[in-house]
Amino acid sequence: MTSATGDHAIRTRPATLARATRDLGPASMLRYAIYQAALRSGWLRRRSPIRSWEQQSLRTLLLPEVPSDAQGYLHFRGTRARPPRFFYVSDEGDRLPAKVELAAGAADLLEEADGILHGEFRLFGGPARSLGFPPRWDAFLANEDQEAPPLDLKQHWSAYDTERVGGDIKLLWEASRFGWVFPLVRAYRLTENPRYAQGLWALVESWCQANRPNAGPHWLSAQEPAFRLIALVFALHGLEPWILSEAERVAMLTRMIAVHASRIPLTLNYSRSLANNHLVVETVALYTAGVLFPELRGAKRWRALGRRWICASLEAQFLPDGAHIQHSTNYQRLVLEAGLWAARLGEANDEAFPPSTMAALRRGAELLRTVCDEASGRVPNFGPNDGAQLLPLTSCGFGDYRPVLQLSATVCDMEPMAPGPWDELCQWLGVQLRQGEMPRPQAQMRADFPNGGLLLLNGSAGRGILRCARFTTRPGHSDQLHLDLHWRGNYVGRDPGSYLYTGAAPWDNALARAEVHNTVVVDRQEPMRRAGRFLWLDWAQGTFLGRWSSP
């Protein structure tokens, strides 16, 4: 079997399917089979027909009693008695001032924002790449090993298979995740210069012209509309007052948010079969649309469905010691970002999440805080790392985890970190920073995290982390017994992560194999069986025997 999104293709030999069912669980495999049946029968195509943006009018998307002309809708949003509250909007209507001093790295921010207006985009947290303004939304990012031709964006999303699109799908998706929204909004709020808002709007309009609803691979995985939805919500609020000066702008963004939200429930069964970051990000986007746009026809369902699965997935995905089930530090940050966004949104709208959900977020944050080098903000690069980041709202680099850790400390009632440029994320999410010293949290005194398979080795000049896992959830890498070693501020040995999934040999997701980790490999044989691009079976299990020290 293969999925349309290609996230977890499973080879079809009966023995492999039987082993996959044993390792992944019958419930997960059943949901996956139901998704495949819906995909191959054409049911998903019929439920999500291709339409033009003009056909997605406000009249068809709003509740009958809400004005559907652009000016009437704008007036409705500004005059309703109990409007939903965004992070930095209080009951009294107080908002983040248009000119703010949020960006400690203001020069770097403006350099990035100006670069975007000249067609230079920082993708995957790396250096700027020249894509043009606006970029070609059908083009794969060029890389040294592979250059794929542009992709047709006219077919229904269900017609695409990520294994057969001619390039690494993440090189097509990245620019369409709308990560450029955040630096442009920050630059606009910092300078009050409308050219940043105008540039953002030009990019959004260009994307819509190239991507009709449900047409093309940018609708293929529901996580892609989820990323865009959250960015569009941020743009709608962050570009005030500029965005409010033309009613059609608000109408267009609302229309886009509604269409993106409508795409997500269709394949939620597939995301439940994955039970990973996809499920969290998608349901957080659903909840966001449901809370902030109650006037939309689907809002009540989105809000309930999103909240239900946010709570269930966060509580299940953060293991008892705080490790995330995907065994990936980058995905752990992604899930934390999404969960903290949802928790803050619920709190702002008098719908706080239950203590069990907040406890899950806290234990996930405590693990990251424990393994984080607080001088640099870096953490060990365990497991898959596809460059995903949901909330790039500071001038800290992609590898700096201090923004999400500071946000976690304030939202989850942990000791705050020392103040710094990483505080900006807290301010955008309307969190009041607590003052105080920065003692090391109790979690950092722990010697190991058995559920995550992390054993900590600490010395006066160096520290290490040994991977010794007894897997209960599927591993992302064949990294059993890998040793990460850090000496006097420098890495001596580290996990390479994984960045390119379908490149030319030898980069065909090669960094997931045991031989690129600091571990034991016998006769060049993998200790686990690879059953798909992202799937390992016959899990190699580790047993922790104890600790010994020498003089």
Side-chain angles (χ1 to χ4, degrees), residues 111-123 127-137 141 175 180 184 195 199 203:
E111 180 183 352
E112 180 179 4
D114 290 338
I116 291 171
L117 300 184
H118 290 89
E120 302 284 332
F121 293 78
R122 297 182 188 179
L123 305 174
R129 300 279 297 273
S130 181
L131 304 183
F133 188 93
R136 289 195 57 171
W137 306 108
L141 301 178
W180 35 264
L184 289 174
R195 70 190 187 96
L203 290 170

Side-chain angles (χ1 to χ4, degrees), residues 1 57 98 139 199 223 302 344 350 412 424 468 479 482 500 522:
M1 294 188 292
S57 66
Q223 192 177 47
W302 300 337
R344 279 292 300 127
D350 303 319
C412 300
E424 185 181 344
C468 182
D479 60 354
H482 163 82
L500 193 63
V522 179

Side-chain angles (χ1 to χ4, degrees), residues 326-331 381-386 476-477 497-498 501 534:
Q326 287 184 272
H327 302 278
S328 161
T329 46
N330 191 62
Y331 286 157
N381 198 21
F382 293 136
N385 184 344
D386 61 1
H477 278 186
S498 57
Y501 294 142
F534 303 101

Side-chain angles (χ1 to χ4, degrees), residues 334-366:
L334 177 63
V335 169
L336 266 178
E337 286 180 323
L340 292 166
W341 168 286
R344 279 292 300 127
L345 195 61
E347 182 183 27
N349 289 276
D350 303 319
E351 192 176 72
F353 279 26
S356 54
T357 302
M358 300 307 297
L361 288 170
R362 175 169 178 149
R363 63 179 180 263
E366 285 179 337

Side-chain angles (χ1 to χ4, degrees), residues 252-401:
M252 178 177 171
L253 283 187
T254 302
R255 193 162 63 240
M256 289 184 71
I257 289 165
V259 171
H260 279 70
S262 298
R263 165 64 186 87
I264 295 170
L266 284 174
T267 50
L268 199 60
N269 230 15
Y270 174 66
S271 300
R272 288 180 60 199
S273 78
L274 300 179
N276 62 12
N277 68 84
H278 284 244
L279 181 59
V280 176
V281 174
E282 290 169 24
T283 52
V284 166
L286 268 185
Y287 181 68
T288 300
V291 168
L292 295 178
F293 297 87
E295 66 272 18
L296 292 173
R297 291 178 186 264
K300 187 175 181 180
R301 176 174 176 250
W302 300 337
R303 183 172 187 161
L305 193 63
R307 181 181 171 87
R308 174 190 174 189
W309 286 109
I310 290 167
C311 295
S313 55
L314 288 176
E315 292 173 30
Q317 290 188 25
F318 285 116
L319 302 177
D321 65 0
H324 187 252
I325 61 170
Q326 287 184 272
H327 302 278
S328 161
T329 46
N330 191 62
Y331 286 157
Q332 182 146 349
R333 174 174 64 177
L334 177 63
V335 169
L336 266 178
E337 286 180 323
L340 292 166
W341 168 286
R344 279 292 300 127
L345 195 61
E347 182 183 27
N349 289 276
D350 303 319
E351 192 176 72
F353 279 26
S356 54
T357 302
M358 300 307 297
L361 288 170
R362 175 169 178 149
R363 63 179 180 263
E366 285 179 337
L367 183 145
L368 284 183
R369 180 81 174 263
T370 300
V371 301
C372 178
D373 173 40
E374 292 173 352
S376 66
R378 294 191 172 274
V379 303
N381 198 21
F382 293 136
N385 184 344
D386 61 1
Q389 189 174 14
L390 186 66
L391 302 175
L393 280 169
T394 74
S395 293
C396 302
F398 171 78
D400 192 337
Y401 278 53

